[in-house]
Amino acid sequence: MPNQIFILENVVMKRQNNTLFIEDRNNDIKTYLPVLQVSEIFAIRGIDCEDSAIGLLAKNRIPLHVFNSFMYEGSWLPYHSIISGEVSIAQYKLLFDSERRIELGKELVRGACRLRCLVAGNWFPREKEKWEGLYLEELSNVNVNPKLYLPEIRDIITEIDNKRRAEKGLSKLNVQILKGVAKAAVAGAFSKLSLDPWIGILPDSKKKRCTLIEDFYFLLEPFFVDLFVEEIEGENLNLEELCDRVKLHFTSTCVREKRRDWSLRMLPVREGYGLISFFMGKAKYRAVRRVEMPKDVCE
Amino acid sequence: MFANEFDGVKVVKGTGESLGSVFYPSEVMLNPFEDVRRAQSLWFLDGYKRVVLVKCILKGTTNSYCIWMDVCGLRKTNLPEIIARAERDIDRIRSVREALGVEGNFHRSIFNFWQETWGDEWSFSGRNRMPPRDPINALLSYSYSIIYNLCVYPLQKVGLNSSLGFLHQPSRGRHSLALDMAELVKPILGDIPIWMLLSEGVLESDMFPVVGDGCYINKEAKKLLKEKMIHVVETVCGGKSSLLRGWPLKLWKRLDKLALGLRGILLGHRENVKWVFLNWRGGK
């Protein structure tokens, strides 16, 4: 099965013999990276990637996430992952209809608040109601006046998130790093979907973040970021250890269904499947349906 | 970094691949795709507008066949009549279904003309594919697939969703919009070079091995065709230019312009809905 690759040094990536060739000039290391065994690449200390290598990555639907000393800079994504004009048109039909988009936006905010309440309940069992109250108040505002509150909701919820994290005593730097990793992981999930990642659900007052990647990130951020930052808080990890822990965190099981279990890493893909079914008129969309706290966190 | 930039989004195409790549920044400052894709979907979903655009694609196709006619010196045949009849039919189109019928009839007439000219010599009895069963069909299929692949990247570069076509129904696994755009390019980059190669008599029957039901092209014929395609670009687009990814820079520029033209139509930046590969004035 293809794996996530974390590259910890600043390297040059080329296309050679129809596969990827990596050169670490500082340590004089040259190696091939078999393209069929890679699902996505995280270049933690930046990367100098040749045009032809980017093309090869796109052809094989491998996202390349570029970081600068662990600070996320962006991702090279295949322009089209799974080509499906029918899904695209169904997506546009719904998301360019302002009324239906608002209804879907309300559902997304409900899901986002639910996950945040789960995390807050786990962090502060005694003050569970206080935190739930804060999130649910915003959710009810959105339900009462969506046109007014939806464009601002991301900022409002993020403010409550910041307060919650401050009360838990989490390091701002760790949160910042993990936010980047989380966004990269969410962006990477779109290489397995036929959705257009650039056309999103939630309106944005600043008109910057109207992409489906930002929407999924907003929805799943508490699980990707909060649970992990809490886990590593106070530990003195080197870069290699940190990457191993991130990989491990991504494998936490968040949904147990009859047919299969879903890991955290695959949650955005699962949400994508849910949205595609909804866009194609096959099923109602319930954001983060049956998603629960990973067992290892509960224990 | 190492890519072309359009509206702040970097789109890069790997050598020889039809798939492009797009850079998603950590902080999206401007979504360059929202407006153009909204416009694209509006044109697609509005029955009237879609028919206008489909007619525009078909008119562009007949314009390209006029170029073929002039470059290959076919004005004194019955081709002008076939094209004029198709243009009259295009004006009467009221639905996409009708448009597909008109397009089918037009291409059938064109290939009948091919059959009249080359039928006996090359056993060409009309268009067939998957697999092509005679050398001319093999050449047409080969050149059309190259053209289709060439059209994907310029469309992606201007932010259009290449899987959402107007004449060709969107479906899984194909860039329908690239197929639409290829309709305008095929007569010039496909039909002209093949017609020239046939007229010059440089093709030999042993260049087309038959395997099972299909007729295939050997390396030599592929090379001849590519050279002729480049020659035609130089003839039609005005002079030689350096090669980029194996094709003349002038061709890339022309394709970029074509994609930009479609973007302009969809966004309403252009007053007239006219989409042509080249404004051609009777062989000049």
Side-chain angles (χ1 to χ4, degrees):
Chain A
M1 192 187 162
N3 288 318
Q4 287 174 320
I5 303 289
F6 284 76
I7 302 175
L8 306 181
E9 298 296 333
N10 186 309
V11 296
V12 178
M13 191 187 281
K14 295 175 183 173
R15 176 183 179 151
Q16 231 174 61
N17 298 332
N18 215 21
T19 195
L20 299 167
F21 179 75
I22 289 177
E23 201 178 343
D24 177 0
R25 285 176 183 159
N26 296 333
N27 299 314
D28 200 25
I29 297 171
K30 292 175 183 176
T31 182
Y32 281 103
L33 197 58
V35 75
L36 295 177
Q37 290 174 23
V38 180
S39 65
E40 57 188 319
I41 300 172
F42 292 77
I44 302 300
R45 284 210 170 102
I47 193 162
D48 186 0
C49 194
E50 283 187 358
D51 187 341
S52 54
I54 295 264
L56 185 67
L57 290 172
K59 188 191 169 199
N60 289 282
R61 301 211 303 260
I62 301 170
L64 168 65
H65 310 297
V66 185
F67 293 78
N68 185 359
S69 298
F70 236 124
M71 288 298 163
Y72 181 54
E73 291 201 326
S75 299
W76 282 100
L77 303 173
Y79 192 97
H80 264 293
S81 299
I82 297 169
I83 307 159
S84 176
E86 286 153 337
V87 172
S88 295
I89 199 64
Q91 181 183 354
Y92 299 158
K93 212 171 173 177
L94 201 136
L95 294 184
F96 292 139
D97 176 333
S98 53
E99 293 301 318
R100 295 178 77 190
R101 186 175 175 175
I102 283 175
E103 286 309 308
L104 197 57
K106 279 156 66 174
E107 175 56 26
L108 197 86
V109 175
R110 186 198 63 76
C113 288
R114 191 183 145 239
L115 287 198
R116 281 160 172 84
C117 289
L118 277 177
V119 172
N122 184 267
W123 280 4
F124 313 106
R126 288 180 189 168
E127 292 173 33
K128 190 178 165 187
E129 280 174 14
K130 172 191 143 190
W131 291 103
E132 280 182 358
L134 287 174
Y135 288 116
L136 294 181
E137 192 186 334
E138 297 310 328
L139 179 61
S140 84
N141 284 340
V142 163
N143 283 325
V144 171
N145 197 343
K147 280 185 184 167
L148 182 68
Y149 280 95
L150 268 183
E152 308 290 341
I153 195 69
R154 256 188 278 240
D155 294 329
I156 297 168
I157 296 275
T158 305
E159 223 166 274
I160 305 174
D161 286 349
N162 290 342
K163 277 183 200 161
R164 178 167 51 85
R165 285 166 187 154
E167 196 154 319
K168 184 75 179 165
L170 298 185
S171 135
K172 277 187 181 174
L173 181 67
N174 280 351
V175 170
Q176 186 69 14
I177 288 171
L178 258 295
K179 276 184 170 184
V181 176
K183 198 178 275 188
V186 170
F190 280 83
S191 65
K192 297 177 183 72
L193 295 166
S194 52
L195 290 166
D196 183 346
W198 290 91
I199 306 300
I201 301 167
L202 288 180
D204 180 16
S205 55
K206 291 167 194 158
K207 290 198 170 181
K208 286 180 185 175
R209 297 168 294 187
C210 304
T211 69
L212 215 47
I213 293 175
E214 297 294 334
D215 292 339
F216 279 13
Y217 167 70
F218 170 65
L219 177 67
L220 301 170
E221 188 193 328
F223 271 32
F224 271 100
V225 179
D226 295 337
L227 299 185
F228 186 65
V229 178
E230 185 206 7
E231 191 186 313
I232 58 162
E233 198 63 32
E235 290 189 42
N236 193 14
L237 301 170
N238 64 30
L239 202 55
E240 205 168 331
E241 287 167 338
L242 187 62
C243 291
D244 286 342
R245 294 285 287 272
V246 168
K247 271 192 200 176
L248 196 66
H249 175 62
F250 281 172
T251 58
S252 317
T253 306
C254 298
V255 186
R256 289 187 190 278
E257 282 178 334
K258 274 183 190 171
R259 285 187 184 171
R260 66 177 282 188
D261 292 346
W262 292 86
S263 64
L264 178 59
R265 179 188 157 196
M266 292 301 282
L267 271 193
V269 179
R270 185 174 177 266
E271 287 307 307
Y273 289 161
L275 269 186
I276 291 171
S277 293
F278 178 62
F279 291 150
M280 301 301 282
K282 287 181 184 162
K284 201 178 168 192
Y285 175 65
R286 296 283 292 169
V288 289
R289 191 170 58 97
R290 291 193 202 148
V291 173
E292 294 301 334
M293 290 286 276
K295 260 196 173 171
D296 49 345
V297 176
C298 296
E299 283 159 6
Chain B
M1 193 152 59
F2 36 75
N4 298 302
E5 282 203 27
F6 189 83
D7 276 0
V9 166
K10 296 162 189 159
V11 183
V12 68
K13 178 184 180 291
T15 316
E17 312 302 342
S18 64
L19 282 168
S21 193
V22 59
F23 190 74
Y24 185 88
S26 60
E27 295 290 333
V28 179
M29 299 312 286
L30 169 83
N31 187 339
F33 296 121
E34 186 155 357
D35 288 347
V36 68
R37 288 186 186 175
R38 182 189 294 269
Q40 193 178 354
S41 68
L42 281 177
W43 278 78
F44 181 88
L45 294 168
D46 183 325
Y48 174 76
K49 280 186 156 185
R50 187 173 170 191
V51 171
V52 169
L53 201 58
V54 164
K55 284 163 100 169
C56 163
I57 294 167
L58 292 177
K59 283 265 171 92
T61 309
T62 56
N63 175 75
S64 296
Y65 272 107
C66 286
I67 301 175
W68 170 58
M69 199 165 66
D70 286 336
V71 172
C72 295
L74 302 169
R75 268 221 177 260
K76 286 179 184 165
T77 60
N78 63 339
L79 269 178
E81 198 189 311
I82 293 172
I83 292 171
R85 195 173 55 229
E87 281 178 346
R88 283 196 300 275
D89 289 346
I90 292 166
D91 286 333
R92 285 198 289 267
I93 289 172
R94 281 169 302 171
S95 68
V96 176
R97 207 184 161 86
E98 272 181 39
L100 289 170
V102 169
E103 189 225 0
N105 282 337
F106 174 58
H107 280 119
R108 206 167 299 122
S109 309
I110 293 285
F111 289 122
N112 280 343
F113 180 78
W114 280 73
Q115 191 185 347
E116 283 162 22
T117 318
W118 305 110
D120 295 338
E121 196 178 337
W122 290 97
S123 14
F124 179 77
S125 56
R127 184 85 176 103
N128 55 56
R129 59 201 183 97
M130 288 178 174
R133 289 191 283 275
D134 56 80
I136 293 185
N137 272 301
L139 287 165
L140 288 170
S141 291
Y142 180 65
S143 62
Y144 288 176
S145 69
I146 291 175
I147 293 163
Y148 163 68
N149 276 296
L150 289 174
C151 290
V152 176
Y153 174 55
L155 289 168
Q156 294 184 341
K157 226 168 74 172
V158 297
L160 289 160
N161 184 337
S162 54
S163 68
L164 198 59
F166 296 92
L167 177 63
H168 295 86
Q169 193 64 20
S171 73
R172 201 175 169 85
R174 70 176 192 177
H175 298 275
S176 308
L177 192 61
L179 286 171
D180 287 357
M181 184 163 141
E183 288 297 327
L184 278 66
V185 188
K186 272 158 38 174
I188 294 160
L189 213 58
D191 294 23
I192 297 177
I194 295 170
W195 192 276
M196 282 179 161
L197 287 174
L198 293 170
S199 306
E200 288 164 10
V202 288
L203 297 172
E204 307 282 343
S205 56
D206 61 1
M207 290 175 174
F208 303 94
V210 177
V211 182
D213 288 342
C215 176
Y216 297 89
I217 315 172
N218 73 2
K219 273 187 181 175
E220 200 184 339
K222 282 181 184 172
K223 195 180 163 208
L224 282 172
L225 180 60
K226 186 166 180 189
E227 281 169 5
K228 192 54 88 179
M229 286 168 96
I230 292 175
H231 168 75
V232 169
V233 171
E234 286 163 359
T235 310
V236 174
C237 301
K240 285 196 171 199
S241 62
S242 55
L243 299 184
L244 177 69
R245 299 183 201 102
W247 294 96
L249 201 59
K250 282 193 175 164
L251 174 66
W252 287 116
K253 283 188 178 168
R254 179 61 51 186
L255 294 175
D256 284 347
K257 207 174 165 189
L258 202 56
L260 260 178
L262 179 62
R263 189 181 192 267
I265 293 172
L266 296 175
L267 288 170
H269 294 164
R270 286 170 53 167
E271 279 182 15
N272 62 333
V273 184
K274 190 181 170 193
W275 197 36
V276 291
F277 182 78
L278 203 67
N279 279 314
W280 188 256
R281 294 181 195 87
K284 285 177 191 172

